Amino acid sequence: MVLKVKKSAEKKFRKGYPLIQEEDLFDFPKTRQWVEFCDHTGAYLATGYLGSQNKGVGWLISWSKEVIDESFFTNRFQIAKARRKSYYHDKTTTAFRIFNGEGDGLGGVTVDLYGEYALFSWYNETLYSHREMLLAAFIKAYPEILGIYEKVRFPASNVPESQHVQGQEAPEPLFIKENGIHYAVYLNEGLMTGIFLDQKEVRGRLATGLAQGKRVLNMFSYTGAFSVAAAMGGAVATTSVDLAKRSLAKTQEQFAANGIDPESQKVHVMDVFSYFAYAKKKGLLFDVIVLDPPSFARNKKQVFSVHKNYGELIKDSLPILAPGGMIIASTNAANLSRERFKKNIETAFKESGAKFTLLEEHHLPEDFGLSAAFPEGDYLKVYFYQVD
Ligand code: SAH
């Protein structure tokens, strides 16, 4: 099938921009086939597919008139593998992203390696309909993989959101390593595994000096991965706060996996705003506070959105931050710009009369490889501030 794109979109597509938006096309035939896109003169532009997902309505995947078949995908997986050589050589890190969607030339799917197991995340139904071919192509590039799992991240009534796909099943939990620290992961429990691999650099900083001798508070702690990295990096105390009941057992499991007595570390199952009030009343002080909320959360009492409420997290942190302490401000909200996020944080500092210095800025790590034509793929924004 050949589809004409609007004149307004020709230039960006020619330059390699991979994401197709609704306004770029005249019509959207319901097809799962590969599509050739052409310009207003009918000349070939690129090959791709239509499939709506959390962003856009399809992806361009090739800029030459090549056949899209199993070997096309094997080649993409092999190139992605070669790009991550340094990770394979590093025996202290056994979990990382091995295929990053459009960053590796195929928008709509990502693959993460967890030890000897691979986990696919599918973002649209069209690509999912080519799943058998993609899995076969993947196995050719990764014959050493013991088993494959998948997460379905688009609305689908006929497939489970998480399942084992083929090969061996992983132990539960499966212990992976990152910078030599062990983390327990579960490859088949809902959409999340117990660790967010995109934060490996920040955990790395906590593990290798930044947390040494420090009292660390980890807000929105989930399974406590930042707390474990901090404790392994010499933190004198860690406190993890998360609303979810599961977080207590999951966090204790992470500490135990590293030979740290879970009882020696604090875990509070509660709302972060209630914890801020409690800690302030008690006169508690922390040297490092990590603020890594979900983009959006609704609980019984309130709605939290990174866009609207991040400043409140900063303001509430200040009374319990020791002089000269550090705030690690993080968000994975793709629709919030770097500048805007930074401004929200710094406005909150200014409004509180705090003196602040930006020390570090982190982006997605190398394994979350980006495409130069699609810089907005870099959704992770982390800022380290020292506050006096
Ligand atoms: N920082 C974590 C990931 C956070 S995921 C890490 O790097 O591993 C978001 C977490 O925020 C979830 O575990 C969710 O339970 C928790 N959460 C959402 N709203 C909350 C609130 N108001 N108070 C405390 N925790 C909250």
Side-chain angles (χ1 to χ4, degrees):
M1 173 180 292
V2 179
L3 275 183
K4 195 171 273 190
V5 311
K6 288 189 185 165
K7 236 179 154 177
S8 52
E10 287 177 9
K11 202 169 140 199
K12 67 173 179 184
F13 287 157
R14 208 169 265 129
K15 278 189 174 160
Y17 188 81
L19 183 62
I20 306 166
Q21 303 282 8
E22 209 166 331
E23 61 268 23
D24 299 333
L25 300 178
F26 295 100
D27 50 16
F28 304 90
K30 255 210 152 322
T31 177
R32 291 173 166 180
Q33 294 313 303
W34 312 115
V35 178
E36 279 191 16
F37 295 92
C38 66
D39 69 10
H40 70 286
T41 70
Y44 173 85
L45 273 175
T47 307
Y49 69 88
L50 297 178
S52 58
Q53 59 176 69
N54 56 337
K55 53 187 172 198
V57 297
W59 294 98
L60 299 182
I61 63 173
S62 171
W63 278 259
S64 65
K65 273 194 166 183
E66 61 197 311
V67 181
I68 309 296
D69 57 7
E70 189 183 307
S71 65
F72 169 88
F73 294 111
T74 300
N75 184 253
R76 287 286 149 102
F77 286 125
Q78 279 165 341
I79 292 172
K81 191 177 190 182
R83 216 175 156 186
R84 291 162 176 82
K85 260 207 185 91
S86 62
Y87 284 93
Y88 286 100
H89 287 306
D90 176 4
K91 296 285 174 244
T92 67
T93 296
T94 62
F96 51 94
R97 177 148 297 187
I98 55 179
F99 193 85
N100 195 38
E102 69 282 358
D104 284 300
L106 178 59
V109 65
T110 63
V111 189
D112 294 318
L113 184 71
Y114 287 91
E116 294 167 291
Y117 299 85
L119 190 150
F120 277 66
S121 294
W122 303 98
Y123 288 86
N124 67 69
E125 197 165 1
T126 307
L127 205 56
Y128 193 70
S129 74
H130 296 281
R131 170 179 181 263
E132 293 306 320
M133 180 169 61
L134 277 151
L135 290 172
F138 177 80
I139 298 287
K140 293 234 166 75
Y142 288 88
E144 69 277 17
I145 289 287
L146 291 186
I148 299 178
Y149 287 80
E150 72 178 7
K151 308 292 181 193
V152 170
R153 291 181 172 272
F154 58 86
S157 48
N158 50 347
V159 261
E161 64 173 10
S162 171
Q163 65 175 329
H164 172 254
V165 176
Q166 62 184 64
Q168 293 181 27
E169 287 189 37
E172 295 203 3
L174 169 70
F175 291 99
I176 57 99
K177 268 192 295 184
E178 184 191 85
N179 299 309
I181 298 172
H182 298 271
Y183 295 95
V185 300
Y186 294 79
L187 297 187
N188 203 6
E189 271 189 5
L191 290 177
M192 303 195 292
T193 61
I195 190 162
F196 289 101
L197 296 176
D198 54 2
Q199 292 281 13
K200 63 168 61 60
E201 277 185 7
V202 178
R203 282 189 294 269
R205 294 291 290 119
L206 288 166
T208 57
L210 205 104
Q212 180 74 44
K214 302 282 161 64
R215 294 161 289 182
V216 177
L217 174 62
N218 179 10
M219 293 303 227
F220 306 94
S221 56
Y222 180 44
T223 60
F226 285 131
S227 311
V228 173
M232 293 301 283
V236 289
T238 72
T239 301
S240 305
V241 181
D242 196 292
L243 199 56
K245 286 205 179 68
R246 56 159 198 248
S247 71
L248 175 62
K250 295 270 188 196
T251 303
Q252 291 185 332
E253 179 175 44
Q254 305 291 21
F255 282 117
N258 291 284
I260 298 172
D261 176 10
E263 299 301 324
S264 68
Q265 311 293 320
K266 290 205 168 67
V267 183
H268 295 278
V269 175
M270 69 196 285
D271 178 87
V272 292
F273 291 102
S274 310
Y275 184 79
F276 278 129
Y278 161 86
K280 187 176 166 186
K281 204 168 117 209
K282 290 265 178 181
L284 301 182
L285 284 180
F286 299 93
D287 306 297
V288 178
I289 300 180
V290 183
L291 302 170
D292 179 38
S295 306
F296 186 83
R298 194 192 297 274
N299 70 34
K300 279 170 232 130
K301 279 179 253 160
Q302 58 207 348
V303 172
F304 174 90
S305 105
V306 164
H307 287 77
K308 292 206 191 100
N309 309 107
Y310 205 93
E312 292 164 36
L313 295 177
I314 297 285
K315 287 181 183 174
D316 285 344
S317 295
L318 294 173
I320 58 169
L321 187 67
M326 178 183 284
I327 290 184
I328 297 184
S330 169
T331 183
N332 63 1
N335 56 359
L336 178 64
S337 76
R338 206 160 275 286
E339 295 66 40
R340 183 63 205 284
F341 179 53
K342 195 160 164 250
K343 194 156 175 247
N344 287 354
I345 298 166
E346 297 190 356
T347 302
F349 280 139
K350 284 176 194 152
E351 285 175 2
S352 312
K355 258 189 68 195
F356 58 92
T357 314
L358 179 60
L359 297 181
E360 288 183 30
E361 172 175 353
H362 292 268
H363 296 242
L364 280 177
E366 283 284 310
D367 52 326
F368 283 65
L370 298 172
S371 127
F374 195 70
E376 64 258 51
D378 184 11
Y379 59 81
L380 186 71
K381 299 162 265 283
V382 190
Y383 294 100
F384 293 14
Y385 285 97
Q386 187 184 318
V387 186
D388 291 301

